[in-house]
Amino acid sequence: QAATARANTNIRPLADLLRPLCSLREAAAAAEAPAMSFQKQVVIDCRGHLLGRLSSIIAKELLNGQQVVCVRSEDINISGSLYRAKLKYANFKRKHTNSNPRHGPFHQRAPAKILWRTIRGMVPHKTARGAAALDRLKCFEGMPHPYDRKKRMVMPCALKVLRLRPERRFCKLGDLASEFGWKHKDLIKRLEDQRKVKSEAFHKKKVAATRSRQDAVKKVKVSAEDQKILEAAGFA
């Protein structure tokens, strides 16, 4: 016991010496780690993304506290042919409660609901944390009004052109949904065609306004004193 006590007295000063070093390492690691950048709301254009890869990224963002809106969910891609996807979905449709199918599981037909269900499978939705994360998610077919005028984002690590070899087969989520009972494919296409016409007109107007402003800035004459003030303010 005396020998153990002496060993403990020898160890304690060493631990006290190492403690500041550990705290310094933790501080350095915290300084090197990039700060998480949150936005009030992120709008994702789902066109051309792979379903599983996009869902996993969105699930992680939701659990981190980010609000996410997914638009154009009918244009999401699924790896594998449409025939293969139909076989998988038909197998999924067979799964129901034997005594009373109304108790679930429920087989969603709309592309936005299929995306929502896919993301739900990657979130602990039966806990309070997971339920709060799913409340931050909104999914839409097409681009409804508030979001057609907002900046949309893409996820490069989930894009089909970057993640799927060019000779591999793929299908669209909208085609799969329409095969199993989604009835609004033609309606969404008509609304999207109208939106693209308005969007193109807005883009041309914006480009013209930007060009005229740049020309006006080039033509304007500024005195040397004003130029120095502008340079000091960072506008030159």
Side-chain angles (χ1 to χ4, degrees):
Q1 289 178 354
T4 307
R6 279 198 300 273
N8 288 337
T9 54
N10 291 334
I11 288 169
R12 275 178 198 148
L14 183 61
D16 293 338
L17 287 170
L18 288 175
R19 200 170 290 127
L21 291 175
C22 294
S23 60
L24 284 172
R25 283 176 191 160
E26 291 170 2
E32 289 175 4
M36 180 81 62
S37 61
F38 284 102
Q39 300 176 24
K40 189 173 183 181
Q41 194 178 60
V42 172
V43 182
I44 299 176
D45 186 0
C46 297
R47 180 178 176 273
H49 291 76
L50 289 171
L51 177 62
R53 289 181 180 271
L54 179 65
S55 300
S56 63
I57 295 166
I58 292 173
K60 191 63 180 174
E61 288 294 321
L62 293 171
L63 289 169
N64 284 339
Q66 180 68 60
Q67 288 189 7
V68 180
V69 178
C70 302
V71 295
R72 287 213 282 189
S73 56
E74 73 279 1
D75 285 334
I76 291 178
N77 292 330
I78 305 172
S79 59
S81 64
L82 180 61
Y83 179 73
R84 185 170 184 268
K86 284 168 67 177
L87 287 178
K88 288 196 288 185
Y89 199 85
N91 189 41
F92 169 60
K93 272 183 66 181
R94 289 176 61 247
K95 294 176 170 59
H96 58 80
T97 304
N98 201 16
S99 58
N100 190 351
R102 284 183 295 178
H103 288 171
F106 304 108
H107 313 103
Q108 308 292 349
R109 298 324 201 265
K113 282 291 186 180
I114 293 174
L115 174 63
W116 180 87
R117 172 71 186 259
T118 308
I119 296 169
R120 193 192 76 169
M122 302 179 184
V123 170
H125 64 96
K126 293 186 179 182
T127 65
R129 175 172 172 257
L134 277 181
D135 286 341
R136 299 184 200 106
L137 174 66
K138 292 181 181 179
C139 300
F140 298 100
E141 295 94 10
M143 257 183 226
H145 162 62
Y147 309 110
D148 59 346
R149 300 186 181 184
K150 292 188 177 181
K151 184 177 180 181
R152 274 94 64 187
M153 299 181 68
V154 297
M155 300 294 169
C157 50
L159 286 172
K160 192 267 296 181
V161 291
L162 298 178
R163 288 297 174 182
L164 200 65
R165 291 177 62 176
E167 71 271 13
R168 299 296 185 189
R169 294 178 180 175
F170 67 94
C171 63
K172 283 187 176 181
L173 186 58
D175 295 338
L176 176 67
S178 62
E179 291 281 342
F180 281 95
W182 183 52
K183 300 176 182 178
H184 305 297
K185 185 178 178 181
D186 295 333
L187 171 65
I188 293 296
K189 186 179 183 302
R190 189 171 76 248
L191 292 174
E192 277 295 286
D193 291 341
Q194 293 173 3
R195 182 192 64 80
K196 285 174 185 175
V197 171
K198 290 181 181 177
S199 181
E200 187 179 3
F202 170 78
H203 179 67
K204 286 181 179 177
K205 186 178 178 182
K206 184 180 178 183
V207 168
T210 305
R211 192 170 294 156
S212 61
R213 185 179 182 279
Q214 289 174 348
D215 294 340
V217 168
K218 287 179 183 176
K219 290 177 182 177
V220 73
K221 294 180 180 179
V222 182
S223 63
E225 294 179 3
D226 292 341
Q227 184 67 27
K228 288 180 182 177
I229 294 170
L230 288 171
E231 289 176 357
F235 291 108

